[in-house]
Amino acid sequence: MVKDNLLKIKESVPEAVTLVAVSKTKPASDIQEAYNAGQRHFGENKALEMRDKHEQLPDDIIWHFIGHLQTNKIKYIAPFVSLIHSVDSLYLLQCIDKEAKKNDRVIDCLLQFHIAMEETKFGLDIAEARQILDSEEYKLLKNIKICGVMGMATLTDDTQTIRNEFHHLKNIFDSLKKDYFPDSTSFNEISMGMSHDYNIAIEEGATLIRVGSSIFGERNYSK
Ligand SMILES: *Cc1c(COP(=O)(O)O)cnc(C)c1O
């Protein structure tokens, strides 16, 4: 089942777009099945769950952290995480930098933006992002690298609303790239799009899509 779902989705995703298979709440055996079908990028939203799965599964899996990250849990994923999609404060960035340094690594990060109408979702607005990028504190950080932006659209059937929100995130990316990363070869990523809206996200410029339930089936939301 997982394999069939995965292969079907991959057919519709352009090669330049990275499919992150969101395996949160799902057992390691499901990840192994996707891995055996060729999938390497996986996304998790809980630090301890990700650490446990990392220990059980093949070493060449590329791990994406996509959830709200508590600063006291960074240490569990700092040794191996490939990309943290969900940075929404200078303080979090400083804490990630500190843990990355302990592991003698540079950790790639995305700035998460609040683009949806819902109030509950985490994320920055453009002014807050500029404040971070302008700060002296940010310029001191040597063990993190900001590689782009991430956002989640409103949970709605109104595709025009979703499209507008993704378009807004693309505009944020373009303006940050122009003002802060004009010569950077690594500020390239726009992480947007989930099971129900990844096609729109791709049309609006996503480079990373985060797809869970369409691959692994519905989650048990009691978790
Ligand atoms: C759970 C989750 C996803 C995947 O959602 P699906 O609707 O299952 O595809 C993507 N992004 C984030 C941040 C998530 O928490």
Side-chain angles (χ1 to χ4, degrees):
M1 241 265 284
V2 168
K3 182 183 175 184
D4 293 346
N5 292 342
L6 184 66
L7 296 181
K8 203 157 95 206
I9 290 170
K10 286 198 106 157
E11 267 173 31
S12 69
V13 175
E15 253 184 62
V17 175
T18 300
L19 170 64
V20 178
V22 176
S23 45
K24 62 189 187 192
T25 79
K26 299 294 178 182
S29 56
D30 283 6
I31 300 178
Q32 186 68 52
E33 190 181 342
Y35 179 93
N36 293 345
Q39 180 65 23
R40 289 296 178 272
H41 292 262
F42 291 90
E44 293 283 338
N45 71 342
K46 297 232 158 57
L48 287 167
E49 184 176 342
M50 184 158 140
R51 179 201 61 183
D52 292 346
K53 287 173 173 172
H54 170 257
E55 282 172 3
Q56 296 172 48
L57 286 156
D59 269 345
D60 61 341
I61 286 180
I62 299 157
W63 292 99
H64 295 251
F65 192 85
I66 62 168
H68 178 62
L69 182 54
Q70 291 168 276
T71 53
N72 62 341
K73 304 255 169 81
I74 300 168
K75 58 177 179 281
Y76 299 121
I77 63 169
F80 65 89
V81 66
S82 286
L83 181 63
I84 298 176
H85 292 227
S86 45
V87 172
D88 62 358
S89 74
L90 175 61
Y91 180 64
L92 179 56
L93 210 49
Q94 289 172 311
C95 293
I96 294 169
D97 184 78
K98 207 157 112 190
E99 294 299 327
K101 192 168 185 170
K102 285 186 199 163
N103 286 278
D104 201 19
R105 325 179 44 207
V106 174
I107 295 182
D108 290 348
C109 296
L110 305 180
L111 294 177
Q112 181 172 355
F113 286 86
H114 183 275
I115 56 169
M117 296 185 300
E118 289 127 358
E119 295 215 348
T120 53
K121 289 185 178 153
F122 297 97
L124 302 162
D125 62 31
I126 182 86
E128 291 166 331
R130 286 178 181 279
Q131 213 168 51
I132 292 173
L133 296 169
D134 283 328
S135 71
E136 292 308 315
E137 292 93 333
Y138 164 71
K139 289 168 193 159
L140 293 172
L141 305 178
K142 301 290 178 235
N143 292 78
I144 53 98
K145 189 160 67 192
I146 297 196
C147 298
V149 302
M150 180 270 218
M152 288 167 87
T154 302
L155 194 58
T156 173
D157 293 331
D158 176 5
T159 56
Q160 193 56 49
T161 295
I162 294 171
R163 187 176 296 281
N164 291 346
E165 291 171 357
F166 287 152
H167 193 75
H168 178 52
L169 187 60
K170 171 68 161 73
N171 284 341
I172 290 173
F173 171 85
D174 288 341
S175 96
L176 294 181
K177 174 128 189 140
K178 175 171 151 288
D179 292 345
Y180 296 95
F181 303 95
D183 305 317
S184 162
T185 51
S186 26
F187 190 85
N188 288 319
E189 304 292 355
I190 304 176
S191 168
M192 60 187 185
M194 304 168 38
S195 288
H196 65 286
D197 59 15
Y198 71 85
N199 283 314
I200 304 173
I202 291 170
E203 287 168 12
E204 295 301 327
T207 64
L208 290 158
I209 56 172
R210 311 175 309 268
V211 178
S213 44
S214 292
I215 297 172
F216 296 107
E218 290 302 322
R219 285 176 297 275
N220 176 359
Y221 280 97
S222 69
K223 246 191 149 173

